[in-house]
Each structure stands twice: as structure tokens, then as C-alpha cells.
Amino acid sequence: MPESSLSSLAQRIDRLESTEEIRQLAGKYSLSLDMRDLDAHVGLFAPDVRVGRGKTGREHLKQWVDSTLRDQFTGTSHHLGQHIIEFVDVDHAIGVVYSKNEHETGPEWVTMQMLYWDDYERIDGRWYFRRRLPCYWYASDLNKQPIGDLKMRWPGREPYEGTFHDLFPSWKEFWDNRPVDDQLPEVAEPAPLEQFLLSMRKDTPAPKIRVR
């Protein structure tokens, strides 16, 4: 077999193995979070992960996750949906993961629908989260459907809007532009390979996330 073919085959195998390792990251994130294994959890992130307000590193991340979980939730369960992964280069990738979650929080049982926008990085041969951006559609008690505006409804807090649609301008464009009757719409060319997510983003800046 020609050397060029071997190189191509090696690259394709690396891409498949990387895709699966990244996909496992999302599952490990949910399991370690729900089981409160915070060392396992923060070990999924890059060693110098940015935590915010000038803080970096897994120690700061562990402190923040501990405080968040201990103060708000008795128990949680994260259920993953579709996972789209696209590679920026051999050691960097981006992804979107859907997640539907259940939370025991005081006297209420809060369900949530959200997605994560992820940045992944391979460091010393292993893939890690560089960043997870959580975007929320709704959170509401199991017996109270989140109809209407301000769908983020946590016990003891004023309702507020999530950021579920804010990553993608298509949501607002859809509602702002009703098609003309009997006029065929324009159709854009399909996105290039490995650029589906970025094509949907259209350089939209990351929204500011209000922590639950």
C-alpha cells in the first residue's frame, strides 16, 4: 500500500478514535456530576481550565462545582441526546450536545431542557473539555409546564430567559421573516464538511450565561 494511503488511513483512524473519545467525555461528564465524583468530573477539563473572575485550574473548578451542587440540588440526573462534533484541526474540535435533566431541589422536582456548546482540546494525547457553554431553554417544576416567556423557573428565584436559541441567529430570522405566498424561497448551499455548526452560528457571539 502506498505511503500516502497509509497516512490517510492513519488520519482517518485517528479522527474516528478522537470522535469516540470526545463523545465519551459528554457521558463521563453527566455520570461524574450525578454521582458527585468531583475529582473525576474536573479531570475531564483541561488542567488550566478558565473558571471565571481570573480563576483557572481544576482546583477552582472543583470548588465552584461543589458549591453549586451542594447549595442547590439534593440529586440530579442528566440525559444526553444528539451530539454533533466537528474538528477545527487535529487537536481541537467543537461540539453541540443536547441534555435533558432532572433536579431534586427542596420541595420541587425541576426538569430542564438545554444544550451545551463545547470546545475540546487534545493535550498530551488525551481529549479534554476546554470550555462548556450551557444554553438553557426551560427549567420548571415537573407539575408546572413552562409555557410562555421567562421559562427558567427555579424555586425561590424570579423567572428569567435562558439562552437556548441565542447561539444561532436562525431562530430570530425565522420569526422575523415570514415567506411570501406562492414565492419559492432561496436556499443556501449546504455547509462545507466540518463547518455545519460554524455556518449555523454565522459569527454570532457567545451569549452571557446566567448561572442557574
Side-chain angles (χ1 to χ4, degrees):
M1 183 179 293
E3 183 176 346
S4 59
S5 298
L6 287 173
S7 175
S8 176
L9 180 59
Q11 291 171 356
R12 293 169 69 181
I13 291 173
D14 177 67
R15 179 61 55 87
L16 289 171
E17 290 179 342
S18 293
T19 299
E20 180 58 24
E21 187 176 346
I22 290 170
R23 208 178 300 281
Q24 290 286 332
L25 275 179
K28 292 174 180 177
Y29 176 98
S30 296
L31 179 64
S32 59
L33 191 67
D34 293 337
M35 299 304 142
R36 303 300 190 264
D37 190 330
L38 301 192
D39 287 328
H41 187 72
V42 301
L44 302 172
F45 289 82
D48 59 342
V49 59
R50 182 175 177 272
V51 182
R53 296 182 181 178
K55 297 178 180 179
T56 60
R58 291 170 178 159
E59 294 84 0
H60 285 294
L61 180 59
K62 182 177 180 180
Q63 182 182 52
W64 181 83
V65 174
D66 186 296
S67 175
T68 300
L69 294 175
R70 200 176 298 276
D71 295 345
Q72 296 188 45
F73 310 119
T74 305
T76 57
S77 181
H78 290 67
H79 306 265
L80 300 183
Q82 61 265 38
H83 190 173
I84 302 171
I85 300 166
E86 294 182 349
F87 288 85
V88 178
D89 55 41
V90 294
D91 291 323
H92 298 86
I94 58 176
V96 166
V97 186
Y98 270 55
S99 185
K100 190 157 191 176
N101 315 322
E102 300 189 26
H103 310 80
E104 184 180 12
T105 172
E108 297 195 46
W109 195 276
V110 176
T111 59
M112 170 191 282
Q113 179 65 58
M114 63 174 296
L115 63 80
Y116 294 98
W117 177 276
D118 290 336
D119 291 274
Y120 314 106
E121 183 175 353
R122 181 158 52 183
I123 303 171
D124 296 330
R126 291 186 60 179
W127 284 95
Y128 297 94
F129 292 112
R130 168 52 65 188
R131 183 183 70 158
R132 299 209 90 183
L133 185 68
C135 298
Y136 309 112
W137 186 23
Y138 68 81
S140 183
D141 183 87
L142 183 64
N143 297 309
K144 303 172 185 176
Q145 295 185 356
I147 304 298
D149 297 328
L150 305 177
K151 296 181 185 296
M152 296 298 293
R153 303 168 188 175
W154 289 102
R157 298 181 62 178
E158 289 296 318
Y160 60 96
E161 292 287 354
T163 53
F164 190 74
H165 302 104
D166 292 351
L167 281 170
F168 304 103
S170 55
W171 176 260
K172 186 176 187 300
E173 291 171 0
F174 177 85
W175 293 110
D176 287 348
N177 298 282
R178 182 176 295 277
V180 178
D181 291 343
D182 300 324
Q183 180 176 324
L184 286 176
E186 295 182 3
V187 178
E189 289 296 319
L193 188 65
E194 300 287 2
Q195 294 185 31
F196 182 82
L197 295 176
L198 292 180
S199 294
M200 286 190 65
R201 287 285 300 272
K202 298 180 181 178
D203 297 322
T204 301
K208 293 184 179 180
I209 305 300
R210 182 172 177 177
V211 179
R212 58 194 179 191

